[in-house]
Amino acid sequence: MVSMALVLHGYRYSVYQRIVRLTLAEKGLAYERVEVNPFAPDLPAAYLALHPFGRVPVLVHDGFAVYETAAITRYIDRALPGPALQPADAKALARMDQIIGAVDAYGYWPLVRQVFSHAVFGPRLGRATDRAEIDKGLAAAAQALAAFEALAADDAFLVGPSLSLADLHLGAMLAYFVQASEGEALLRRHARLTNWWQSVKHRSSFAATDPGLP
């Protein structure tokens, strides 16, 4: 592991923090973690100075602070040592960017905030299950997974033979989604994504960054 004065500010259960943690793990980089709860009523002024919108995560590297997960992971890959996580080919890179953008725009809300949050996470906190919200999430997730299935390369990883940031971005969200039995069943309808997930989920980076449940 390489230590380079890296500090990751984020919330343990944030899927976006996990994407950054997966990236750091795949690069073999050591870092310090600072827990920040974005749902707290009063975030410290020092944190708002790093992220004026009060969201997570934020990466600070030798005094340079950057927020927004896609910007953080691209910075890590460009600026720090370790295996390359972005393809050199322009078309493969565009596909990686497209998948990440589509996951954020169309996957995050149904996969994580609707299905996982209402079927798994909320009940662990003693909250009542919102069946209507889960069903809405499953309907939107079906469309999203079909689109991701169509975009995925017919190869080992989503955009080709090598792991990329797209695999980590989608993988972190599916790791939550499949904890709901309905989510796991829905994923199984998509053979290419299912085969990809069976391979990716066993990587050491996924085990090392598993946040568990409350």
Side-chain angles (χ1 to χ4, degrees), residues 99 102-112 115 134 136-153 158 166 169-197:
I99 290 172
V103 168
D104 283 343
Y106 313 112
Y108 167 67
W109 193 263
L111 298 177
V112 178
V115 175
I134 294 170
K136 288 178 186 175
L138 290 169
Q143 181 183 17
L145 292 178
F148 303 151
E149 174 94 345
L151 288 174
L158 291 177
H169 217 87
L170 180 56
M173 301 207 188
L174 282 182
Y176 269 165
F177 181 66
V178 298
Q179 291 188 50
S181 58
E182 303 98 324
E184 184 178 24
L186 185 57
L187 177 63
R188 286 200 300 267
R189 299 180 189 176
H190 305 279
R192 190 179 300 171
L193 281 182
T194 296
N195 291 337
W196 162 81
W197 174 239

Side-chain angles (χ1 to χ4, degrees), residues 1-2 22-29 73-88 96 157 162-165 168 203-205:
M1 300 289 280
V2 179
L22 284 165
T23 304
L24 290 164
E26 289 289 347
K27 299 287 281 188
L29 298 168
T73 57
R74 288 177 174 93
Y75 173 76
I76 291 168
D77 193 47
R78 293 166 184 159
L80 302 175
L85 297 175
Q86 298 180 89
M96 184 199 82
F157 298 101
S162 300
L163 183 83
S164 80
L165 297 177
L168 306 181
R203 295 183 69 87
S204 61
S205 60

